[in-house]
Amino acid sequence: MATKNQTKVVAEPGRQELFITREFEAPRELVFKAFTDPDLLTRWLGPCDMTMRIDVMEPGDGGYWRFVHIDQKGNEYGFHGVTHEVAAPERVIRTFEFEGLPEKGHVAMETAIFEALPGDRTRVTVQSVFRSVADRDGMVQSGMERGVVDSHQKLDEILATELQLG
Amino acid sequence: MATKNQTKVVAEPGRQELFITREFEAPRELVFKAFTDPDLLTRWLGPCDMTMRIDVMEPGDGGYWRFVHIDQKGNEYGFHGVTHEVAAPERVIRTFEFEGLPEKGHVAMETAIFEALPGDRTRVTVQSVFRSVADRDGMVQSGMERGVVDSHQKLDEILATELQLG
């Protein structure tokens, strides 16, 4: 069951950060779990035409993670980072690096904030801070928005299913 | 033996980053070691009137670290984070959080770049990217520059000693 909630990506010109905002029809604890539980995460993260594999996802502060998205031809796109803080059910702060870039070291720091809204709804805001405006612009131009929108639509359905299962 | 090398701190108004630049009279491998070897690090990091303790410093990518600076009255100032990448002898990328702030989550991402210069000299550039301009300004106003300048002067002496010891 898809919702009418829209994913908003804001990247103000000349700044080295971007913001992704989305509301979900589920309570904060469940949305937080969907972002941090490997079994739930593999069911929604990534573009619709790719599958997703979690290679490593160490829990808690200091945990290392590596995710791989796989397209229909079998090409793999890897991402990895380390988690600075998991403050359930409010906040996760971690580093993030796409392994497909021509050189290493173009790392971003991501802060995901989970806000409880009236009516058992939740607003998620993800801020990514980059080492440069160019790194930020490269991420925007990579077509990441489509992958994020796809992901959130899949997440809508998973949250609805989880709520039905109780 | 102190050098004439100056520590430069640049924080352009309105931006969410700052840069610390310093040159050292020692080859890159030794300067890199002084930043990443716990025994060397405790001898120079921090203001002149404080001692320093390393609680944790896990080596390599994904490592957690926690440092404590202790003033002459015994007050402790803690810092911690996680290391995204250690690329010896060129680059270290990690997160950084001062534990003395009124609330948690004001994290920065630090990238230290080590450049070999002619004459067995080294330039170190540390970029810190913050979640906001206010976080960046707060760090600048905390008097961090004095601590950085003190640290680098102590490091000059340690590098000279290490070079003499061969």
Side-chain angles (χ1 to χ4, degrees):
Chain A
M1 189 187 73
T3 65
K4 298 248 186 306
N5 294 321
Q6 298 285 316
T7 299
K8 201 166 74 172
V9 178
V10 175
E12 200 183 312
R15 297 202 63 81
Q16 65 203 93
E17 63 183 347
L18 64 81
F19 293 89
I20 298 167
T21 314
R22 181 63 145 78
E23 293 181 10
F24 295 97
E25 305 299 319
R28 177 162 73 161
E29 283 68 20
L30 179 58
V31 177
F32 187 88
K33 187 180 171 201
F35 274 78
T36 52
D37 177 291
D39 292 334
L40 285 174
L41 194 61
T42 42
R43 290 165 55 193
W44 66 267
L45 191 65
C48 282
D49 55 357
M50 296 200 194
T51 56
M52 192 242 181
R53 183 180 80 228
I54 295 180
D55 272 357
V56 193
M57 191 174 174
E58 296 172 353
D61 298 6
Y64 179 86
W65 63 271
R66 181 171 192 264
F67 302 160
V68 181
H69 298 285
I70 305 140
D71 72 15
Q72 290 169 334
K73 292 178 181 164
N75 298 309
E76 301 203 346
Y77 305 89
F79 301 82
H80 73 273
V82 282
T83 302
H84 177 90
E85 181 194 37
V86 181
E90 284 174 33
R91 186 172 59 221
V92 177
I93 303 179
R94 64 177 188 180
T95 61
F96 176 99
E97 181 169 11
F98 172 43
E99 298 168 2
L101 296 176
E103 62 176 19
K104 291 184 73 179
H106 294 273
V107 183
M109 182 172 73
E110 270 188 7
T111 303
I113 308 271
F114 300 80
E115 280 174 90
L117 301 180
D120 274 342
R121 304 178 69 252
T122 303
R123 181 185 298 123
V124 180
T125 306
V126 179
Q127 177 200 34
S128 295
V129 180
F130 295 80
R131 287 185 51 210
S132 66
V133 179
D135 279 5
R136 196 278 313 260
D137 290 346
M139 175 62 78
V140 172
Q141 285 154 16
S142 74
M144 52 78 78
E145 183 161 353
R146 182 182 66 90
V148 174
V149 169
D150 281 3
S151 298
H152 290 165
Q153 286 173 355
K154 287 186 277 179
L155 178 51
D156 281 338
E157 295 182 30
I158 284 161
L159 294 170
T161 305
E162 291 292 311
L163 285 170
Q164 277 176 344
L165 294 172
Chain B
M1 189 188 71
T3 65
K4 296 249 187 307
N5 294 321
Q6 299 285 316
T7 299
K8 200 166 76 171
V9 178
V10 175
E12 200 184 311
R15 297 201 62 82
Q16 64 203 95
E17 63 183 346
L18 64 80
F19 294 89
I20 298 167
T21 313
R22 181 65 145 76
E23 293 181 10
F24 295 97
E25 306 299 319
R28 178 162 74 160
E29 282 67 21
L30 178 57
V31 178
F32 187 88
K33 187 181 171 201
F35 274 78
T36 51
D37 177 290
D39 293 335
L40 285 175
L41 194 61
T42 43
R43 289 165 57 193
W44 66 268
L45 191 64
C48 282
D49 55 358
M50 296 201 193
T51 55
M52 192 240 181
R53 184 180 81 229
I54 295 181
D55 273 358
V56 192
M57 192 174 173
E58 296 172 352
D61 298 5
Y64 180 85
W65 62 271
R66 181 171 192 265
F67 301 161
V68 181
H69 298 285
I70 305 140
D71 71 15
Q72 290 169 334
K73 292 177 180 165
N75 298 309
E76 301 203 346
Y77 304 89
F79 300 82
H80 73 272
V82 282
T83 303
H84 177 91
E85 181 193 37
V86 181
E90 283 175 32
R91 186 172 59 222
V92 176
I93 303 179
R94 64 176 189 182
T95 62
F96 176 98
E97 181 168 10
F98 172 44
E99 297 168 3
L101 296 176
E103 62 176 19
K104 292 183 72 179
H106 294 273
V107 182
M109 181 172 73
E110 270 189 7
T111 303
I113 307 272
F114 301 79
E115 279 174 90
L117 301 179
D120 273 341
R121 303 177 69 253
T122 303
R123 181 184 300 125
V124 179
T125 306
V126 179
Q127 177 200 35
S128 295
V129 180
F130 295 80
R131 288 184 50 209
S132 66
V133 178
D135 279 5
R136 196 280 311 261
D137 290 347
M139 174 62 78
V140 172
Q141 286 154 16
S142 74
M144 51 79 77
E145 183 160 355
R146 182 184 65 90
V148 175
V149 169
D150 281 4
S151 298
H152 290 165
Q153 285 172 356
K154 286 187 279 178
L155 179 51
D156 281 339
E157 296 181 30
I158 284 159
L159 293 170
T161 306
E162 292 291 311
L163 284 171
Q164 278 176 345
L165 293 173

